[in-house]
Amino acid sequence: MSDGRNPGLEGLGYKRAGTMWSWMLHRVTGVGMLVFVAMHVIAAFSLQNLGGGGFGKVFNSLFESWPFQSFIYFCVIFHALNGARVIILDTWPKLLQHQREATWLTWLIFIPIYGLTLLILIQKGLSGG
Amino acid sequence: MLRSRTVPRRGWNLEFVMWVFTRVSGAAMLILGALGMIGALIMGARTQMDLATLMRWTFFPNPNHVVNSNIPDINLGWVSLYWRILQTLIVFFGVSHGFNGLRVVMDDYIHHDAVRKVLRVVILVLWIAVMAVALYIIITS
């Protein structure tokens, strides 16, 4: 904050928070996916063009583990849905007066899709698949 | 901490162009993902692929991306110019969207102009490097 004050935990309730939390999560999930994709491209290059083994294998076994997949699916699904909300509201600015409802709608779509994903991932993870 | 900073004049400057690109590429990736998933289902993914493999194909329709998944006859239909163009578009939009996003986030948290300029060059170099490696993977796959 440019005036040097630290809002502390109260800052987390800024304007009843909902859309600000989406904004923060959008950044965190975006950077998370960028790190994943960059590492994944390099791991794929190692496996496909350098003859396998080495760090490519280490990265890939990490990427295929279910805790990591739960994280990356959270990033992808949230970032995609929230991004779609941002595109729609930016294209039709009149809808901005409903942005609180739009944010809730995003979560309403996100929860069943991600819940199902998580269920499948954990079931597979626990059965060793 | 977020700080205010001077912004360029209104019009067709880098910030505006990248603002438009972020929205266009985001919408494009949603469409490309749908095309990948629908295309895979049409080509028989419903019986040949499990869900994880279908997702791998959706995010990056490259035969090597699903090569560990035991798909019979991977050369039938799964390798074609159509899928090559789709892969290239997904990689271009995804990597560019991501590194531009990193630049936007970095701009918000780095206060020194000189450091910001250096980091912008670093991000540009990383973008070119990752794009080059990804395109090489597509060409040689």
Side-chain angles (χ1 to χ4, degrees):
Chain A
M1 309 299 138
S2 56
D3 59 1
R5 280 183 297 149
N6 185 347
L9 286 179
E10 270 176 52
L12 294 178
Y14 173 70
K15 287 192 179 173
R16 297 220 205 121
T19 48
M20 182 193 70
W21 280 50
S22 288
W23 173 82
M24 284 200 299
L25 269 176
H26 202 74
R27 301 202 139 184
V28 173
T29 54
V31 174
M33 277 190 292
L34 180 65
V35 172
F36 165 69
V37 169
M39 278 166 62
H40 186 44
V41 165
I42 292 165
F45 178 71
S46 152
L47 281 178
Q48 182 184 295
N49 299 94
L50 301 181
F55 60 91
K57 259 199 172 131
V58 179
F59 278 158
N60 266 19
S61 57
L62 167 70
F63 295 154
E64 282 167 15
S65 67
W66 71 265
F68 185 87
Q69 299 229 321
S70 314
F71 164 74
I72 206 69
Y73 272 111
F74 181 93
C75 290
V76 170
I77 297 170
F78 177 80
H79 202 91
L81 288 174
N82 195 53
R85 175 183 71 86
V86 171
I87 292 173
I88 291 168
L89 292 185
D90 277 355
T91 312
W92 295 282
K94 271 191 179 172
L95 296 177
L96 270 172
Q97 56 179 314
H98 304 295
Q99 73 156 327
R100 199 174 297 281
E101 289 81 357
T103 309
W104 281 113
L105 187 63
T106 313
W107 286 109
L108 216 61
I109 302 171
F110 173 85
I111 289 169
I113 296 180
Y114 184 64
L116 199 60
T117 310
L118 209 57
L119 182 74
I120 294 171
L121 280 173
I122 291 176
Q123 264 182 344
K124 261 191 96 177
L126 290 183
S127 65
Chain B
M1 289 289 140
L2 299 171
R3 293 256 173 98
S4 60
R5 61 174 181 272
T6 52
V7 290
R9 284 193 304 122
R10 291 187 67 158
W12 285 90
N13 54 52
L14 178 76
E15 294 300 329
F16 177 63
V17 171
M18 292 321 285
W19 181 87
V20 173
F21 175 77
T22 301
R23 270 119 194 107
V24 171
S25 58
M29 277 186 288
L30 289 172
I31 294 166
L32 288 169
L35 281 179
M37 195 187 281
I38 293 167
L41 288 169
I42 288 175
M43 293 190 325
R46 193 175 66 81
T47 49
Q48 292 180 38
M49 284 184 174
D50 60 10
L51 190 60
T53 314
L54 177 60
M55 285 298 139
R56 251 176 250 157
W57 185 264
T58 299
F59 291 130
F60 188 49
N62 181 304
N64 266 5
H65 210 215
V66 292
V67 80
N68 294 328
S69 310
N70 200 19
I71 297 170
D73 299 329
I74 202 155
N75 287 319
L76 293 178
W78 303 95
V79 186
S80 72
L81 187 65
Y82 172 76
W83 290 118
R84 262 176 197 256
I85 293 171
L86 226 61
Q87 287 165 43
T88 313
L89 286 175
I90 283 184
V91 159
F92 172 74
F93 282 131
V95 173
S96 309
H97 184 106
F99 276 107
N100 178 60
L102 185 63
R103 179 187 65 84
V104 172
V105 173
M106 184 274 293
D107 274 357
D108 273 352
Y109 298 99
I110 304 294
H111 310 142
H112 293 284
D113 271 349
V115 180
R116 198 156 64 221
K117 274 180 186 137
V118 171
L119 284 177
R120 279 183 170 214
V121 175
V122 171
I123 290 172
L124 183 68
V125 170
L126 281 174
W127 172 63
I128 293 171
V130 173
M131 276 298 284
V133 173
L135 289 178
Y136 183 74
I137 290 172
I138 293 176
I139 290 166
T140 58
S141 67

